[in-house]
Structure formats: C-alpha cells, structure tokens
Amino acid sequence: MDPNHSLLFVALLVLCLAVNGVTGYATVTGSVFCDQCKDGERSLFDFPVSGIKVSVTCSDENGQVYMSREETTNWLGGYVMRFDGTPDLSNCYAQVSESGAQQQGSSSSCSIASGPAQKLKLMFSFFGFETFAADVLLTQPVQPMSYCPKPPPTPVMFPPQVPIIPPPRQALPPPEVKLPPSPPKPQVPLLPPPQAPVTSPPPATSPPQFKLPPLPPTPLVPFVEPSACSHQLWMRPEYRCYWRVIGPDTKVAVAFGLIAGRRYGTDMTVREALDGRGEAYKTLLREATTALLNSYNSLGFPYNSIAVITHTNLALLGNSQHDVLMTAIRFIKANSGTCKFTICK
C-alpha cells in the first residue's frame, strides 16, 4: 500500500470516529509467566499462567493511591485493562495481586507472587487513544522443578596455615676420627663397552583422512532492535527466510485461535489473510497478521505475539466496527516502522 494512501485511510477513520462522537480511552496489556526455576528472571523453562489476578495501581507524588483496577489473565497468560477517557497512567504500576496468586492453591502450581512491580510504558498514542504495556510479571512455585539447573556449590574458604618453625639449635663441632690407611686397589683390565644393535625406525605413515560433512546453514536470529515490515514485504519470495513459528500455509484459526476461526473460517491461510482489503474486518486481519509476523521476527517490536493475538480476539468479540477500526489503526502504525530485511541467500 502506498504511504499516502495509508495516511488518507487513517484520516478517514479519524473523521468517521469524530462524526460519531467517539471518545478516547487507554488500554493496558501485559503477561504473567511461571518462574519454575525460581531464579527471578524469565528463562526457557517458564510458561504463561492463566487465572492470575493482576492489579494496576496509580499513586500521586505523596504516595496516595488515586486509581486501582484488577484483571485476571486469560489462557495465554495475558491481561488487558481498559480505562475510559484520557486518564494519566504515567505513574502507574502493574503487579501480581497476593490474593490472585494464592488462589492457585496447589504446591506444584505457581502460587507465589515474585518480582517487583513493573511501571507502565506508553507504546502508542493517537487522538486520545493510548496503549500502555508492562514488562513480564512472574509467579513462582513452592519448590523449583527437578529438571532446573542446580546452582554451583559455594566453596568453603579455610584460613591459611602458618608453618611452625622450631628455633635453630647451636651446632656442636664434630668429633675427630682417625681412619686407617686403605689398602691398594687391584688393577682390573678395562673392556670395551658392548655395542647396541642398530635398528632402523619404522616408516612414517600419515593418519587416515576423515572428511567432515558440510555444516547446515545457520538459522536467522530475531532482530534485537525494532523492525517493522509491511504486509507487501512479507509476501515477497526473497524474504521468505524471515518467516518464523508460522508459515504462509498456516491456518488463521491455528495462528489466532477459535474466535478468529469462527469469523474468517477454518480454511483461510496466513498468505490469504495478507491479501485482505476492502472492509474493516479484512483490514484488521491483514494488519494483525503482519504485526504477528513482526513480533516473531523482532524483539523490539511494540507488541509481543501474545498481545497481538489478545487485541485481535478482543476486537472480534466486541462485534463493534469502532473496536475493529481502532485495533486496525494501532497495528497499521506499529507496522509502519523501519524494516531490517535483507535478501535471503
């Protein structure tokens, strides 16, 4: 899509919202993971936790709480809160509620809140509509899992031992002993030393040569810096090596879940979703699919994969043209950044 056409499309959407008298609101998104190894950070052994209560609390300069809200994580471990109007969320923090974590109730489940509260970060602002995100929150089990790596044992330090040196003794002069004269030694004829047989060394042989198989190509590592590519670039064959987790033939119902499957059918593929245009729901699916691919490919993309799926399903559940259009606008803005693609070899 031409950049001028994109700006015109966004301007028309804003005009429609203004005519309908739509007011702004702010959303807060995040996720909760189970810290199975109790190491205080997210690792390969951790997984998202559902049914955990998360609270967002806002305080003024004196520490007085002027706004607070709770939400429960969904089956993907994510949570979304909506604040109507234009509230000031610049000094708000998200954390796992103590009562919300304890409701798990099993010694093998993540039932203990862990880690500090995370401050909300402004990710998107557009005509009174704002999106905030918080870093990953952690919960812990009572005991770490048996397959977690064990910490190295702490070495025991012993004080150095000082050797005890006895005082020197006063040396006594040795007694004088007179030896008798030794008898003369008999003359022994000298014989030539025996000659050792000379043997030639064995011929040198070179070790057998082993030919190593060729190494497989190194997989591409996700970009650490932000990278946002449009749906036109994702459809080009020279960038096919950047597809991760999902492929062009992956079904939309598999990538986004049952809610999207009911709306778009179980046969639509991701490649077909990138061609969507002409109406709000097709535009939402196109930009959501592009945002999902960018989230898998760049660690610095404004939305992670869980947030993309959650926002898309919430817009579809609302059955509101307003929610669908606003979600599509957010994804269009996020997908309009700098693309780090290079031609695949």
Side-chain angles (χ1 to χ4, degrees):
M1 181 183 292
D2 186 71
N4 294 328
H5 293 171
S6 298
L7 294 176
L8 181 59
F9 176 72
V10 173
L12 290 175
L13 291 178
V14 173
L15 180 61
C16 293
L17 295 177
V19 171
N20 293 330
V22 177
T23 59
Y25 63 86
T27 58
V28 177
T29 63
S31 56
V32 179
F33 275 73
C34 174
D35 182 14
Q36 294 195 103
C37 296
K38 302 190 70 171
D39 53 5
E41 58 185 21
R42 183 178 170 185
S43 63
L44 295 176
F45 299 97
D46 302 340
F47 60 90
V49 188
S50 62
I52 298 294
K53 283 189 177 181
V54 178
S55 63
V56 171
T57 305
C58 305
S59 304
D60 55 16
E61 297 178 354
N62 300 324
Q64 298 294 327
V65 177
Y66 62 86
M67 185 168 54
S68 178
R69 184 169 298 179
E70 279 191 346
E71 188 61 53
T72 304
T73 57
N74 56 25
W75 63 280
L76 291 173
Y79 59 90
V80 178
M81 301 184 188
R82 173 169 171 168
F83 297 83
D84 293 329
T86 56
D88 181 14
L89 303 181
S90 60
N91 197 29
C92 299
Y93 291 81
Q95 62 183 352
V96 176
S97 303
E98 291 293 337
S99 60
Q102 295 296 335
Q103 70 181 357
Q104 296 290 324
S106 174
S107 60
S108 61
S109 63
C110 281
S111 57
I112 302 176
S114 173
Q118 301 294 341
K119 188 173 183 179
L120 302 186
K121 302 176 183 178
L122 179 63
M123 307 301 294
F124 173 82
S125 180
F126 187 78
F127 287 93
F129 298 93
E130 297 178 338
T131 298
F132 291 82
D135 292 339
V136 174
L137 302 176
L138 298 178
T139 58
Q140 292 181 347
V142 177
Q143 295 294 334
M145 300 294 102
S146 58
Y147 47 77
C148 292
K150 304 297 182 183
T154 304
V156 180
M157 304 298 293
F158 295 97
Q161 296 183 357
V162 180
I164 301 176
I165 302 176
R169 296 181 180 180
Q170 187 177 2
L172 298 177
E176 295 183 0
V177 178
K178 293 183 177 181
L179 300 176
S182 58
K185 296 181 179 180
Q187 298 293 329
V188 179
L190 296 177
L191 298 177
Q195 297 293 331
V198 179
T199 59
S200 60
T205 59
S206 60
Q209 299 294 328
F210 296 97
K211 188 176 181 181
L212 297 176
L215 296 177
T218 304
L220 294 176
V221 179
F223 297 113
V224 178
E225 65 274 10
S227 175
C229 304
S230 63
H231 67 278
Q232 294 97 330
L233 294 178
W234 279 107
M235 290 190 295
R236 295 174 63 174
E238 59 266 31
Y239 300 137
R240 185 60 57 85
C241 60
Y242 289 97
W243 285 70
R244 306 173 188 276
V245 182
I246 61 175
D249 296 328
T250 303
K251 304 298 184 183
V252 171
V254 175
F256 288 93
L258 298 177
I259 299 175
R262 296 193 193 102
R263 178 69 194 185
Y264 300 102
T266 57
D267 294 331
M268 177 176 286
T269 63
V270 171
R271 176 64 177 81
E272 295 171 344
L274 292 176
D275 287 329
R277 57 176 54 88
E279 57 99 7
Y281 283 95
K282 290 183 179 180
T283 302
L284 170 63
L285 182 60
R286 182 192 67 211
E287 297 301 327
T289 303
T290 305
L292 185 62
L293 291 170
N294 286 327
S295 68
Y296 287 137
N297 196 64
S298 172
L299 299 179
F301 190 68
Y303 297 95
N304 57 36
S305 58
I306 295 177
V308 172
I309 296 172
T310 301
H311 280 294
T312 304
N313 287 328
L314 286 177
L316 296 176
L317 283 174
N319 291 324
S320 169
Q321 289 281 344
H322 165 260
D323 292 341
V324 171
L325 291 177
M326 290 310 305
T327 305
I329 290 175
R330 294 192 188 97
F331 288 151
I332 289 174
K333 185 174 179 63
N335 295 328
S336 301
T338 302
C339 184
K340 303 292 184 179
F341 279 173
T342 57
I343 297 179
C344 301
K345 297 181 180 180

